[in-house]
């Protein structure tokens, strides 16, 4: 059992690392390496053996994606869960992963429109207008105002997430944690399902019919028919196929390469469209 607690200094170290959230980005696991990097100060503080630290790092190398400016609460809650696990509380790897995945959707849904869709364009617009008038303060205002807001969201997000996560663990009794884990798992599956429809776009461009009426030609493709039957069916089938290949220990990089090849060849022969 470990009686160490994460203090403000530890959380400050994590905050500093969150500023490099997108320094390492890949299309297989998105921000996974960045998140694992954020968690290193907590892992070093909470776990003493090499095996426990390696296991904790491995937990956080799975797929992860949240708007960089909104990642603070996830880091804070995860740190609290890791703290509870290191103290011997009944917190499984699945519980930690379920909470992370469960928070991905809501924070992306809030983070993207606030940070990318509202704050940054407004601040950049103000700065650009001043710069066009020859004011050196324009780009400086953009740089400082944007980063002050972003860093404040990260710092206070970590504090909020950690405090809420710690109180949650302390107040859980009996099989409550199991129930909360189940809810988080269901939410996580819901988020992943929604991401399939949002991120996976396939357009089967084969023409089924062309009907000309009053000089207007209406073209019907295979994709039009599939959209009428069940929108998102082909992306779902592709996702399930990839999951099956991963279960057979096929290299993710090989799968990505095959998808690239099929996409390029499909577009070249006219089977797939944009």
């Amino acid at each position: 059992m470990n009686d160490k607690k994460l203090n403000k200094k530890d959380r400050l170290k994590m905050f500093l690392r969150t500023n490099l959230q997108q320094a390492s980005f890949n299309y297989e696991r998105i921000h996974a390496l960045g998140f694992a990097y954020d968690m290193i100060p907590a892992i070093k503080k909470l776990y003493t053996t090499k095996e426990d630290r390696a296991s904790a790092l491995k937990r956080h190398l799975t797929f992860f994606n949240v708007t960089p400016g909104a990642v603070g609460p996830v880091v804070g809650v995860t740190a609290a869960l890791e703290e509870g696990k290191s103290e011997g509380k009944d917190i499984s790897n699945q519980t930690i992963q379920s909470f992370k995945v469960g928070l991905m959707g809501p924070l992306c849904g809030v983070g993207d429109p606030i940070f990318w869709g509202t704050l940054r364009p407004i601040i950049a617009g103000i700065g650009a207008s001043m710069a066009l008038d020859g004011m050196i303060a324009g780009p400086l205002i953009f740089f400082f105002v944007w980063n002050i807001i972003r860093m404040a969201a990260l710092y206070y997000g970590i504090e909020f997430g950690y405090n809420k996560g710690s109180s949650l663990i302390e107040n859980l009794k009996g099989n409550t944690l199991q129930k909360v884990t189940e809810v988080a798992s269901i939410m996580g599956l819901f988020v992943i399902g929604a991401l399939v429809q949002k991120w996976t776009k396939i357009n089967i461009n084969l023409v089924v019919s062309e009907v000309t009426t009053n000089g207007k030609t209406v073209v019907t493709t295979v994709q039009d028919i599939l959209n009428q039957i069940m929108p998102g069916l082909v992306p779902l089938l592709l996702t399930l196929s990839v999951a099956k290949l991963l279960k057979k220990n096929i290299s993710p990089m090989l799968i990505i390469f095959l998808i690239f090849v099929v996409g390029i060849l499909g577009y070249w022969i006219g089977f797939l469209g944009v």
Side-chain angles (χ1 to χ4, degrees):
M1 182 176 292
N2 180 26
D3 58 355
K4 292 182 179 179
K5 293 283 187 182
L6 296 174
N7 54 36
K8 284 225 177 239
K9 184 178 179 181
D10 300 318
R11 300 196 293 275
L12 179 61
K13 291 179 181 177
M14 297 170 71
F15 154 71
L16 293 175
R17 287 171 177 254
T18 58
N19 289 278
L20 300 174
Q21 184 70 25
Q22 282 188 301
S24 178
F25 179 99
N26 65 78
Y27 286 101
E28 179 188 346
R29 302 182 184 182
I30 313 296
H31 296 166
L33 193 58
F35 191 88
Y37 179 72
D38 298 340
M39 294 301 300
I40 287 176
I43 291 170
K44 283 186 175 181
K45 176 73 172 288
L46 299 172
Y47 301 103
T48 56
T49 67
K50 182 179 179 180
E51 292 75 14
D52 288 341
R53 288 177 175 177
S55 178
L57 278 175
K58 189 175 180 180
R59 274 196 292 278
H60 301 301
L61 286 174
T62 54
F63 177 88
F64 180 78
N65 183 34
V66 166
T67 307
V71 76
V74 192
V75 174
V77 170
T78 305
L81 291 171
E82 289 287 1
E83 185 178 272
K85 184 177 179 64
S86 72
E87 292 174 343
K89 292 185 171 64
D90 186 20
I91 299 175
S92 64
N93 293 349
Q94 180 188 354
T95 299
I96 296 174
Q97 187 63 15
S98 296
F99 270 93
K100 283 174 57 181
V101 175
L103 289 171
M104 275 170 44
L107 288 176
C108 276
V110 172
D112 282 354
I114 289 180
F115 285 95
W116 300 138
T118 303
L119 289 176
R120 187 163 179 165
I122 290 175
I123 300 170
I126 294 173
S129 297
M130 296 175 67
L132 289 172
D133 290 335
M135 299 175 64
I136 190 63
L140 294 177
I141 286 177
F142 168 70
F143 179 81
F144 286 107
V145 173
W146 164 249
N147 281 290
I148 287 172
I149 294 174
R150 180 186 62 80
M151 294 172 74
L154 287 172
Y155 178 80
Y156 290 107
I158 291 175
E159 291 296 302
F160 176 82
Y162 176 77
N163 292 326
K164 287 296 181 182
S166 299
S167 61
L168 174 67
I169 294 170
E170 292 299 325
N171 293 330
L172 292 179
K173 296 180 180 179
N175 64 345
T176 308
L177 183 59
Q178 181 182 354
K179 293 179 180 178
V180 173
T181 302
E182 290 176 358
V183 172
S185 299
I186 293 171
M187 184 180 294
L189 292 173
F190 178 81
V191 169
I192 294 299
L195 291 179
V196 171
Q197 171 64 18
K198 180 180 179 181
W199 288 353
T200 310
K201 302 295 182 184
I202 301 176
N203 180 18
I204 302 177
N205 209 31
L206 289 178
V207 176
V208 176
S209 67
E210 291 186 21
V211 178
T212 302
T213 305
N214 298 326
K216 183 178 180 181
T217 301
V218 178
V219 179
T220 302
T221 65
V222 172
Q223 191 61 50
D224 294 328
I225 297 173
L226 290 174
N227 288 340
Q228 293 175 9
I229 298 172
M230 183 183 293
L233 175 61
V234 180
L236 175 62
L237 293 176
L238 175 63
T239 303
L240 294 176
S241 300
V242 170
K244 188 172 183 179
L245 291 174
L246 289 173
K247 285 185 177 180
K248 291 185 177 181
N249 294 322
I250 305 297
S251 168
M253 294 307 299
L254 177 59
I255 296 173
I256 293 173
F257 176 76
L258 290 174
I259 292 174
F260 269 113
V261 170
V262 171
I264 293 171
L265 291 178
Y267 181 78
W268 182 62
I269 65 177
F271 177 74
L272 298 175
V274 293

